[in-house]
Amino acid sequence: MSLNGQLQLFCSSTLSVPVSGKQIACNPVIDLTATVGDGNVIYVWRGSNQLVSKHTERNQKVDAIKWKEDGQFLAAGWSDGVVRLIGLESNKAVHHIRVAGHDGKPSRIEFIAWARNETGRQSRAKKHDDLPDLPWRDLMPDEKKHVLDLPHELTFLEVETALPKISPLPLSGGTGDDMFVFSTAASLEFVFRPYQPEDSDDVHVMIAGTADGGIHLSIYDSFVIGTFQHIPHTARGPPSSKGAFQLCGHSSHPKVSTHALLLRPKEGSLTSLYLVPMDLTFVHKSPINLSLLASKTTTLQNLLRYLKQAQSHMVSEWKSTRELPGRFLRGVQEDLERSSKGPMTIVQALYHTVATGHVFPQVKEWLVDSLAERGHKRWDKAVVSGLQNLRSLVHENFLPALERCGIVLSRLLGLARFHGSRENIGFTAAQVEKLLDMVAALTLVSYKILLAVMDELDHFTSFSSWLRMEIDKLASSSAAAEELTEKEATMDNVKVLTYIQRYLMGSPLAVYLGDVTAEEREKDWKIAEESDGTSLLELVDQQLKSQERGKPYLKALPKIDQLVNHLTGKSAIVFKEIAEAEKRSVRFNQAVEISTGEKIWRHDIHLCSRSKTTESGVTTFVATVPEGDKNKIFIVRTAIPVANGISGTTSSSACGLVLPNGATVVDIKFLDDESLLVLSQLNDEQSPALVRIGYQAPNLTYSAYREGERPQTIDIGGAEVPYVPLFFNAVGFVPTQMEVQRASKTRGELPARVCLLGRDRTVYKTYALPDHFEISSGTSTERKSWKQQGAEEDVVMENSQ
């Protein structure tokens, strides 16, 4: 920015699809902007009109979008009550979070916010500072001298990074919402991102508000804490408005576990907002490292999703090996049943042909006319490719995922044993041991499937060669038939007969991949649950041995889909208990009613930490603009003492600001702990400008706040209100909405930015904000109006509608 207040254009784009409503979000760390068009399509744009990706859900509408603070995910709330996390520069939803509304029913997502909280870092830094100044510490680089906590480093030592990466699943054959999530390497890297030790003290929180008043919390991208229904109560008692209260604002500070929420009545005119402190005491003090726990449980959830999709692909591939041969065999089977020599099966007929060389007329007609060379090629391709794909799925996808499940569960088992029963961490060692037992049972079944696939593939190769020889012999001349007869000497008739007898009409793989009735499933799992002292691994092994001996067995236990569902269900119980332990640590404090007695048109909230002062706690600022007087801004300042992660009794003060020269507010946003940005324009809409107001300036007076009354107002431009007018040269551009982002160095240098959306909903311009504001000073008589100042500097725009 130049010294005269001229903003520098960072990027400008003209969208091909107008923005629906106010659905626009700027990425905090990358030059990307997400918009919603046509109500149900999410577009991600790079500067200069470059479309990066788009995402849509059939028959669903987008109600809210918000980028995560590190820019890795875009959270989108849909009308079906699901928050879908879309990966960076991806068109796939890698996580699906179902937000339960009132009575557990889905509810529309109307508000989404992200926050980051720090845990554990201060205590560990203090521990490092207390270490003696030993000579060997001088040999270490300055940035490494603090890395001396060996237990901490061992705790966050990652074993999974030494393993080969999980392979993508095929595009076809999956089911449900995760059908395409695991189909590309890029999606897998997003879902299974390695845990970074430097993030061990950070807890990322997602807050979502539903249409029926639900407040949903998730941590570490997709680990659900729960949904709350909260009715704000002020010092004067319950609110006058009846019904639910919807979340419409949120702010937090990384170093404080108390968050500030803004709630609004669902019904009636918006004359009051309610500031509610929310204490996440599990962030402030937890017996277990939250980041590690959330990381491992989320990874386990994702692995279970992957296993479910891999199992679905395995069943699909196995069924494809049976479907086409089954159609071929059913035709000849009907002819053989109507045979004049008595009914027989195709197994008996082909067995007879291999053993004696005689071919029944029905079989000959089937081989020569119906099956023929073309049909045999299709049969051979379907079975061979299906079995090979099944082998690859087990070997390259299913077993590696099970191995990772065992590693994650082993880590959780160690945590449970370390903390024991003396600390409530939400799960026990016994629960984790049962999950490990289920993983072991799945591993056993997987290796059984792998052996059965290899055996069937070997036998089918011999059978397919024999079948092709029979087709060619029956369809060829006598001379060619003699040459084919010589090939019979090279045939492995034992394997051919074995395949006809064991695999032709049924497959041993049906024990693991076939269907089971609901009655059998309920009966068998009930028996398994009631078996005292016997592990699931032992039970499954016993059932497989009984099946091999031809004895009755529990058919549901060896089924791969039943085992995966059982593991998923039991894991969900553990996840729920962990979430309940954290949910009980969420506390809502007494609310502060934000009201001037008028209908509120625009509002924003910001929370500042008071760690630099002697008094611990936070200060929240809520800025509102009345609908009937848009040249005024009212700011309510609320001091919230915080001790041991719990907020105390609040105290509030307020001030009112008046825009000069008849200017009115278009939008307001807090930038940081010092700056409130006001997008304003004159009545003629010819001179839109951005005004930076120092809302915490020492000279700015905050008086006692009374609900429903206007505070004393001060003219912007006076000595008490430091401000900086910022102008942007964009002829014909009339902004109607503003988004702001702070400067970022996460992925390269990125300045603080303000994104302005034009009146036509297609043009948006992003301007870079200065690193430091030169605050105007002096009395109002010493300053010129914004319009005069802009004219003298040739920066006033001449917009036209």
Side-chain angles (χ1 to χ4, degrees):
M1 186 185 112
S2 61
L3 294 178
N4 61 6
Q6 178 74 38
L7 288 176
Q8 292 182 356
L9 183 66
F10 187 79
C11 68
S12 177
S13 296
T14 302
L15 307 179
S16 57
V17 181
V19 177
S20 299
K22 295 185 177 182
Q23 305 294 357
I24 183 170
C26 300
N27 191 297
V29 300
I30 308 175
D31 182 22
L32 292 176
T33 303
T35 64
V36 177
D38 300 325
N40 68 335
V41 183
I42 298 175
Y43 299 89
V44 178
W45 311 85
R46 206 184 299 277
S48 305
N49 306 326
Q50 181 183 357
L51 179 63
V52 176
S53 64
K54 65 179 182 179
H55 178 85
T56 186
E57 296 288 334
R58 184 177 299 177
N59 301 324
Q60 302 299 334
K61 179 184 176 183
V62 185
D63 294 316
I65 55 174
K66 187 71 174 181
W67 287 100
K68 189 181 175 182
E69 283 195 343
D70 61 4
Q72 293 295 316
F73 289 110
L74 175 68
W78 297 78
S79 55
D80 59 352
V82 177
V83 176
R84 293 175 172 86
L85 303 186
I86 303 171
L88 183 63
E89 299 187 16
S90 171
N91 60 350
K92 297 178 181 178
V94 294
H95 295 291
H96 300 77
I97 304 173
R98 299 192 177 276
V99 179
H102 188 60
D103 296 332
K105 298 179 180 178
S107 181
R108 289 189 301 108
I109 312 298
E110 294 195 339
F111 180 87
I112 298 176
W114 288 94
R116 180 180 67 86
N117 285 121
E118 299 174 0
T119 62
R121 184 171 299 164
Q122 296 178 351
S123 61
R124 208 168 44 255
K126 182 178 179 181
K127 185 187 300 182
H128 296 147
D129 294 338
D130 293 340
L131 290 174
D133 191 13
L134 299 175
W136 58 265
R137 294 189 67 189
D138 296 332
L139 301 176
M140 301 177 64
D142 292 338
E143 65 273 11
K144 293 292 185 181
K145 287 183 179 180
H146 68 283
V147 186
L148 298 172
D149 193 342
L150 182 59
H152 177 267
E153 297 301 317
L154 291 176
T155 299
F156 295 98
L157 182 65
E158 287 298 304
V159 181
E160 294 92 327
T161 54
L163 299 174
K165 293 183 178 180
I166 293 181
S167 302
L169 293 171
L171 284 172
S172 59
T175 58
D177 294 333
D178 295 331
M179 184 182 301
F180 304 112
V181 171
F182 306 109
S183 59
T184 63
S187 295
L188 284 175
E189 289 182 2
F190 249 101
V191 175
F192 297 107
R193 289 180 300 158
Y195 183 76
Q196 302 297 331
E198 55 267 25
D199 297 332
S200 61
D201 296 306
D202 291 339
V203 177
H204 292 271
V205 183
M206 186 188 74
I207 302 96
T210 64
D212 63 355
I215 301 172
H216 171 91
L217 294 180
S218 298
I219 60 175
Y220 204 80
D221 300 339
S222 61
F223 185 78
V224 175
I225 298 297
T227 303
F228 304 84
Q229 294 283 337
H230 181 68
I231 303 297
H233 284 68
T234 66
R236 298 186 300 176
S240 57
S241 301
K242 303 299 181 182
F245 285 76
Q246 298 172 329
L247 181 64
C248 63
H250 167 271
S251 185
S252 66
H253 192 279
K255 296 185 181 301
V256 184
S257 60
T258 295
H259 293 218
L261 307 180
L262 269 186
L263 303 183
R264 56 171 292 172
K266 181 179 179 181
E267 301 175 355
S269 60
L270 184 59
T271 58
S272 295
L273 295 172
Y274 292 87
L275 170 63
V276 180
M278 179 179 66
D279 301 326
L280 304 183
T281 57
F282 65 86
V283 173
H284 173 77
K285 185 178 181 180
S286 174
I288 191 171
N289 185 281
L290 273 180
S291 184
L292 177 64
L293 177 62
S295 168
K296 295 308 172 187
T297 51
T298 303
T299 301
L300 183 57
Q301 286 177 328
N302 295 333
L303 285 170
L304 293 175
R305 294 165 57 197
Y306 183 88
L307 285 174
K308 182 66 177 177
Q309 292 301 311
Q311 168 260 316
S312 177
H313 282 278
M314 290 163 59
V315 173
S316 177
E317 292 292 348
W318 174 71
K319 288 183 176 180
S320 70
T321 66
R322 312 302 305 175
E323 183 179 358
L324 182 63
R327 292 204 303 265
F328 285 139
L329 294 170
R330 280 193 295 272
V332 67
Q333 182 67 41
E334 294 175 358
D335 294 337
L336 289 172
E337 289 176 354
R338 296 191 298 266
S339 173
S340 59
K341 296 182 179 180
M344 70 176 69
T345 65
I346 185 61
V347 173
Q348 295 170 331
L350 292 180
Y351 203 99
H352 171 80
T353 301
V354 175
T356 65
H358 173 262
V359 183
F360 290 104
Q362 297 88 342
V363 176
K364 180 178 181 180
E365 181 182 357
W366 173 65
L367 292 173
V368 176
D369 298 333
S370 300
L371 188 62
E373 179 182 354
R374 184 169 179 269
H376 172 264
K377 287 181 177 180
R378 293 174 59 198
W379 187 340
D380 184 85
K381 183 179 179 180
V383 175
V384 172
S385 63
L387 291 176
Q388 288 177 344
N389 291 340
L390 178 56
R391 179 182 61 189
S392 298
L393 284 167
V394 176
H395 182 66
E396 300 175 9
N397 301 99
F398 202 78
L399 282 172
L402 284 175
E403 183 180 15
R404 282 166 171 79
C405 285
I407 293 174
V408 173
L409 288 170
S410 297
R411 178 69 67 90
L412 294 177
L413 179 61
L415 292 173
R417 287 176 175 173
F418 176 78
H419 292 280
S421 58
R422 67 185 184 277
E423 295 171 332
N424 183 17
I425 61 175
F427 63 99
T428 63
Q431 290 176 308
V432 181
E433 287 171 349
K434 287 185 178 180
L435 296 181
L436 281 168
D437 181 40
M438 298 173 199
V439 172
L442 271 169
T443 304
L444 171 65
V445 171
S446 300
Y447 279 111
K448 291 285 187 180
I449 293 175
L450 200 58
L451 291 173
V453 169
M454 298 296 293
D455 190 54
E456 183 171 344
L457 188 59
D458 181 41
H459 284 80
F460 177 77
T461 302
S462 299
F463 171 75
S464 180
S465 299
W466 173 83
L467 190 65
R468 177 60 185 270
M469 184 195 67
E470 286 296 320
I471 294 173
D472 292 342
K473 184 170 65 175
L474 294 173
S476 303
S477 60
S478 57
E482 292 178 1
E483 296 180 4
L484 292 171
T485 303
E486 295 176 0
K487 294 182 180 180
E488 289 188 68
T490 62
M491 291 292 170
D492 192 342
N493 289 331
V494 174
K495 288 186 177 179
V496 175
L497 291 172
T498 302
Y499 185 86
I500 293 172
Q501 188 175 11
R502 293 184 57 193
Y503 299 97
L504 188 63
M505 297 303 292
S507 171
L509 288 170
V511 175
Y512 315 103
L513 302 172
D515 297 326
V516 64
T517 63
E519 292 78 10
E520 288 178 326
R521 179 176 65 248
E522 293 178 5
K523 176 179 66 68
D524 293 353
W525 280 111
K526 184 178 180 181
I527 295 174
E529 293 286 347
E530 293 175 351
S531 59
D532 296 331
T534 305
S535 68
L536 182 61
L537 174 62
E538 294 173 345
L539 279 175
V540 172
D541 189 40
Q542 292 172 4
Q543 305 313 309
L544 290 177
K545 290 179 180 178
S546 298
Q547 186 271 333
E548 291 171 0
R549 299 190 190 102
K551 297 181 179 180
Y553 69 102
L554 304 179
K555 296 182 180 179
L557 265 60
K559 294 289 188 293
I560 194 78
D561 59 337
Q562 296 300 312
L563 287 171
V564 170
N565 291 338
H566 189 63
L567 174 62
T568 303
K570 295 300 181 181
S571 299
I573 295 175
V574 176
F575 298 148
K576 184 178 179 181
E577 292 182 0
I578 296 174
E580 287 294 333
E582 311 299 351
K583 188 177 180 180
R584 287 191 292 268
S585 301
V586 179
R587 175 181 176 271
F588 295 93
N589 198 1
Q590 191 176 81
V592 176
E593 183 178 357
I594 308 296
S595 174
T596 58
E598 305 164 90
K599 186 175 182 180
I600 298 172
W601 181 63
R602 290 281 190 271
H603 61 82
D604 197 24
I605 182 173
H606 184 72
L607 182 146
C608 306
S609 173
R610 292 188 288 170
S611 57
K612 296 182 180 179
T613 65
T614 57
E615 184 181 2
S616 63
V618 296
T619 302
T620 62
F621 294 83
V622 178
T624 61
V625 178
E627 184 173 359
D629 203 355
K630 295 180 182 179
N631 75 323
K632 292 181 175 61
I633 303 170
F634 299 106
I635 303 177
V636 177
R637 180 179 65 185
T638 302
I640 307 174
V642 179
N644 297 322
I646 299 177
S647 57
T649 304
T650 62
S651 59
S652 300
S653 55
C655 72
L657 306 176
V658 182
L659 299 181
N661 305 319
T664 58
V665 175
V666 177
D667 205 352
I668 54 173
K669 286 290 186 297
F670 286 100
L671 176 63
D672 51 31
D673 291 355
E674 299 177 353
S675 302
L676 172 65
L677 298 183
V678 181
L679 179 62
S680 64
Q681 65 182 12
L682 297 178
N683 292 333
D684 57 4
E685 298 185 349
Q686 296 300 306
S687 302
L690 191 65
V691 183
R692 182 269 184 188
I693 299 174
Y695 63 93
Q696 291 207 72
N699 294 334
L700 185 58
T701 303
Y702 283 82
S703 57
Y705 169 67
R706 296 180 180 85
E707 295 89 346
E709 297 181 9
R710 279 191 174 190
Q712 184 178 357
T713 58
I714 308 171
D715 290 336
I716 297 177
E720 296 179 341
V721 187
Y723 78 98
V724 178
L726 308 168
F727 300 93
F728 39 90
N729 189 9
V731 177
F733 178 64
V734 180
T736 59
Q737 185 179 340
M738 173 175 62
E739 293 292 326
V740 297
Q741 291 292 347
R742 299 183 185 182
S744 172
K745 296 182 180 179
T746 304
R747 299 183 65 171
E749 293 283 346
L750 202 61
R753 295 155 294 152
V754 56
C755 179
L756 304 176
L757 180 63
R759 175 185 292 171
D760 60 358
R761 320 299 295 174
T762 59
V763 178
Y764 76 91
K765 297 179 181 294
T766 302
Y767 293 88
L769 295 172
D771 295 333
H772 303 283
F773 292 97
E774 293 188 3
I775 299 176
S776 302
S777 60
T779 63
S780 59
T781 59
E782 293 174 338
R783 295 199 203 98
K784 299 169 184 174
S785 69
W786 300 343
K787 191 170 183 180
Q788 292 171 337
Q789 181 179 348
E792 291 178 1
E793 297 176 350
D794 294 326
V795 295
V796 174
M797 297 183 300
E798 297 178 356
N799 292 341
S800 59
Q801 298 182 2

